Amino acid sequence: MAVDNPQVIVLMGSKSDWDVMQHTSETLKRFGVTHECRALSAHRTPAAVMELVSAAEDNGTEVIIAAAGGAAHLAGVVAAHTLLPVLGVPMASALNGLDSLLSTVQMPAGIPVGTLAIGKAGATNAALLAVAILARKQPELREKLQAFRDEQTQNVLSVTLP
Ligand code: RP5
């Protein structure tokens, strides 16, 4: 979804993260949240990351989601350049994502990154958490979130096992 003033920016360290991070985009789409997905790296394109993130708040963005794997510094670097809430998603890696999780979650006091689970669950939940943040000021989004939760509950309750 390419829009001028996205409510959410979804960054990922590499195009190779898209298979997982498409679940973030799909979830945001489900709620009608405008967002922009970009592959930018804290290590390979640091200036472009800083430029995009520094302008995000003035452009109307309210939440930034940042996914990376391995030496996963992207979310931390993003958080260092903005006052917006930053949600980090650790990608699976050669070390099963444990390296990504630790390098995303272990931020020094003063620069928080709200870190989600490794992989698809984290990618989906980052979008849902972004929706929950936006829903504080958008009652219609809160209603959609309630409907999502109700449907999810019903789906679990309706399961029959052999
Ligand atoms: C990280 O390195 C990316 O976020 C990705 O998860 C990982 C591998 O990137 P590629 O080598 O596939 O571009 O920066």
Side-chain angles (χ1 to χ4, degrees), residues 106-117:
Q106 289 289 59
M107 289 296 292
I111 305 291
V113 168
T115 304
L116 286 302

Side-chain angles (χ1 to χ4, degrees), residues 12-17 41 43-44 67-71 91-92:
M12 59 209 80
S14 169
K15 189 180 176 186
S16 64
D17 298 321
S41 163
H43 306 123
R44 295 161 172 164
M91 297 288 94

Side-chain angles (χ1 to χ4, degrees), residues 14-34:
S14 169
K15 189 180 176 186
S16 64
D17 298 321
W18 175 247
D19 273 358
V20 172
M21 291 309 294
Q22 64 182 321
H23 298 289
T24 303
S25 181
E26 284 167 10
T27 305
L28 291 171
K29 270 185 202 157
R30 175 180 179 148
F31 285 90
V33 171
T34 57

Side-chain angles (χ1 to χ4, degrees), residues 50-146:
M50 192 173 74
E51 188 182 346
L52 180 77
V53 171
S54 301
E57 188 173 358
D58 284 346
N59 289 339
T61 293
E62 296 191 48
V63 181
I64 300 179
I65 295 169
H73 300 133
L74 183 60
V77 167
V78 167
H81 288 98
T82 184
L83 297 181
L84 293 172
V86 176
L87 307 179
V89 186
M91 297 288 94
S93 65
L95 301 179
N96 294 325
L98 188 58
D99 46 352
S100 321
L101 172 64
L102 294 177
S103 35
T104 301
V105 77
Q106 289 289 59
M107 289 296 292
I111 305 291
V113 168
T115 304
L116 286 302
I118 298 167
K120 182 180 173 183
T124 304
N125 281 343
L128 291 172
L129 195 48
V131 169
I133 292 168
L134 296 171
R136 303 316 305 157
K137 290 188 181 165
Q138 298 181 41
E140 73 286 356
L141 211 45
R142 189 187 184 285
E143 282 175 27
K144 287 184 189 176
L145 196 52
Q146 184 65 65

